[in-house]
Structures are given as structure tokens and as C-alpha cells.
Amino acid sequence: MEKIRIKYFTDKIEKLKYIDGKSDWIDLRAAEDVDLKAGEFRLIPLGVAMELPEGYEAHIVPRSSTFKNYGIIQTNHQGVIDRSYCGDNDQWLMPVLAMRDTHISLNDRICQFRIMKNQPTIVFEETDHLGDSDRGGFGSTGKQ
């Protein structure tokens, strides 16, 4: 079991918890009330900073209900936080774009994260032929 040091920037959000057997993803919450107008961009503070274990990174994505409930999209589609982002003031943020006027309340669950091992060291070997059959191009697997 890995231990992760965490700093909370507010005591107004629920503490993070890993629920074994339910999901590998852990919910993150808005650390303040946020009002956005359609088309407005904002970095929403998530109220935490973490010191990830050596060899790991965190991936942050919206919850499946985030767009339906709040009308926001995460502008980088997936945030990647590497181990070096671990200072006392390195609060995790969610960059969002509002597609409609919306209100996000303090403590609302708006995104989720998981911890992933870093990509192993790789070497690219140039070749003129890859050895497998072509799939037929981009988007070639059909609609069904």
C-alpha cells in the first residue's frame, strides 16, 4: 500500500478517501463557490496538494456527471500532475470552460483522479514496415 502525503488548503471540503473495491478513481471537490457565465474560463481550486510517490503521476478527469450537472468542460481534457508538483503552494486546479451559465458550490464533486505509474523508459526503433495489417484509417472501426 502506497502512502501519499496530502495538504488541505481548507477544512470546508470533505477529506479524500479511497474506497477499496468500488473504483480506482477518487473524487475531488471544488474548494470554493464558483459562478461562471457561458464562455468563461476559470481555474477551479480543488483544495489539495500532494506529494506523490517516486515513479508516479496523477491523472485528473471530469466525473461522468460534471457536464450534465454544471455545464463545464475540462479544457485540457485530462490533467497530468507529475511528482515535481508537490510544494506547499502547489494546489491542484481544474481548468474549465463554462458552456452555459452555472454555479458550482463549495464541496461539489467536479472531477476525479487516479495515481498511475510513470511510463517506462523507451527507445524508438525506426523501420519502413511495422508488420501488421492496416485497420483502414482514422475512425475505421465503424459506428456499431
Side-chain angles (χ1 to χ4, degrees):
M1 177 183 306
E2 296 285 349
K3 289 190 179 180
I4 296 176
R5 293 170 37 122
I6 184 169
K7 175 183 175 180
Y8 289 93
F9 287 82
T10 178
D11 60 0
K12 296 179 181 175
I13 59 172
E14 288 186 34
K15 303 283 189 205
L16 298 185
K17 55 186 158 220
Y18 178 76
I19 303 172
D20 193 27
K22 181 178 177 194
S23 173
D24 287 342
W25 294 87
I26 301 166
D27 289 335
L28 291 164
R29 298 169 181 273
E32 62 186 40
D33 287 329
V34 176
D35 289 299
L36 294 165
K37 300 286 185 197
E40 191 174 1
F41 170 81
R42 176 86 184 270
L43 293 171
I44 299 178
L46 301 172
V48 297
M50 293 183 215
E51 188 177 285
L52 300 174
E54 187 71 40
Y56 287 84
E57 63 192 22
H59 295 183
I60 298 176
V61 299
R63 297 181 75 239
S64 59
S65 61
T66 297
F67 185 76
K68 175 183 66 111
N69 291 339
Y70 305 104
I72 58 173
I73 57 174
Q74 185 172 339
T75 58
N76 58 352
H77 305 289
Q78 173 178 298
V80 177
I81 297 177
D82 63 40
R83 187 178 188 287
S84 68
Y85 192 71
C86 63
D88 280 337
N89 295 306
D90 289 337
Q91 179 172 196
W92 291 14
L93 305 163
M94 182 185 188
V96 302
L97 178 66
M99 303 309 290
R100 60 176 161 84
D101 292 358
T102 192
H103 173 78
I104 301 164
S105 296
L106 170 76
N107 211 38
D108 280 348
R109 296 179 300 158
I110 58 171
C111 57
Q112 56 193 339
F113 79 101
R114 71 182 306 173
I115 305 299
M116 302 290 294
K117 283 191 174 189
N118 291 354
Q119 177 171 290
T121 302
I122 60 174
V123 175
F124 292 101
E125 179 183 341
E126 191 171 337
T127 183
D128 291 328
H129 181 67
L130 295 176
D132 275 323
S133 58
D134 292 341
R135 283 186 42 190
F138 182 81
S140 63
T141 58
K143 293 183 178 180
Q144 302 296 325

